[in-house]
Amino acid sequence: MQKDNKILSIDVGSNNLKIAEFDLSGGSLLMVKFDCCKLEINPEDGDTAEIVAFIRAYNTMMAQNDFTATDVRITLPSKLSFQRLSKLPPIPGSRSAIDRIVEYEARQTVPYAINDVEWDYQLIRHQWEEKRMETQEDGTLAEFVEPREEYEAMFVAIKTDLITAYTDVIEDSGKKVISVEISP
């Protein structure tokens, strides 16, 4: 069976939808098809206006283009997500301890029940040197440099039902979603 070397990239913006098909064969990445359109958001659709606009635009673009890739990578707009930078307490060295501290912070920070969201984090380490002067026993001043570090976690969370609303539309069209990202 021949491996499908194509990928469909779907970027859902705040006001537009972009779909590009890439061919990965031959050791290079080549964009073979591209289409974009404005999302026509109708306020009368209420809370579901954005997803309804996506469904309309996606179905129209799929009907107008011959996108043959089955694997899909989708990027959702950052406005659908909760993002927060949280300063962490001093962290012991083990990865499992870091994960426990970060999960505790996420549970305190994310405004939704943690079981209702998909979330992840990026650990950010800040390092610097702190200089201080001390008087020696002989009365002279000596400069000491101490390495310092602190950590922050960048949390990104999105409600699972929002992700599902978009991915179900794509999967219902015969595609397979292999990743979901949030735009910067």
Side-chain angles (χ1 to χ4, degrees):
M1 178 157 82
Q2 184 175 349
K3 184 177 186 258
D4 183 15
N5 288 322
K6 292 185 178 177
I7 188 96
L8 198 62
S9 175
I10 300 175
D11 181 13
V12 183
S14 295
N15 297 314
N16 56 52
L17 176 63
K18 297 174 283 297
I19 301 178
E21 186 170 76
F22 295 91
D23 188 339
L24 306 169
S25 55
S28 64
L29 182 66
L30 177 65
M31 184 168 57
V32 293
K33 291 182 184 112
F34 176 80
D35 198 3
C36 66
C37 72
K38 183 172 175 41
L39 290 173
E40 300 294 334
I41 298 172
N42 183 351
E44 292 177 9
D45 291 328
D47 293 343
T48 62
E50 291 174 356
I51 189 66
V52 170
F54 166 75
I55 293 168
R56 272 185 280 196
Y58 176 80
N59 288 334
T60 299
M61 291 172 77
M62 288 313 214
Q64 292 175 350
N65 296 279
D66 185 28
F67 293 116
T68 60
T70 55
D71 289 343
V72 173
R73 295 185 181 275
I74 183 172
T75 302
L76 297 175
S78 60
K79 71 178 185 177
L80 297 179
S81 68
F82 171 82
Q83 301 175 25
R84 175 76 43 93
L85 194 59
S86 253
K87 188 174 179 179
L88 299 176
I91 296 179
S94 89
R95 185 62 191 193
S96 64
I98 292 170
D99 288 342
R100 284 192 307 276
I101 290 170
V102 168
E103 183 176 349
Y104 174 80
E105 289 293 324
R107 287 180 183 278
Q108 302 303 311
T109 304
V110 174
Y112 311 111
I114 207 75
N115 294 334
D116 293 342
V117 299
E118 297 297 323
W119 71 279
D120 205 351
Y121 71 94
Q122 177 68 48
L123 199 59
I124 302 167
R125 186 170 113 190
H126 301 283
Q127 289 183 293
W128 71 96
E129 293 179 344
E130 193 170 280
K131 295 180 182 180
R132 61 182 173 81
M133 302 294 285
E134 281 189 15
T135 305
Q136 303 295 304
E137 288 181 13
D138 64 3
T140 61
L141 286 176
E143 182 178 76
F144 291 92
V145 177
E146 292 185 47
R148 299 282 189 199
E149 68 180 14
E150 67 182 18
Y151 290 88
E152 290 180 295
M154 170 56 105
F155 297 100
V156 178
I158 185 169
K159 293 184 86 174
T160 305
D161 60 348
L162 277 173
I163 295 171
T164 304
Y166 286 89
T167 57
D168 281 355
V169 171
I170 295 165
E171 290 174 349
D172 287 348
S173 72
K175 308 291 184 192
K176 177 183 172 193
V177 176
I178 60 173
S179 72
V180 177
E181 300 289 330
I182 303 296
S183 65

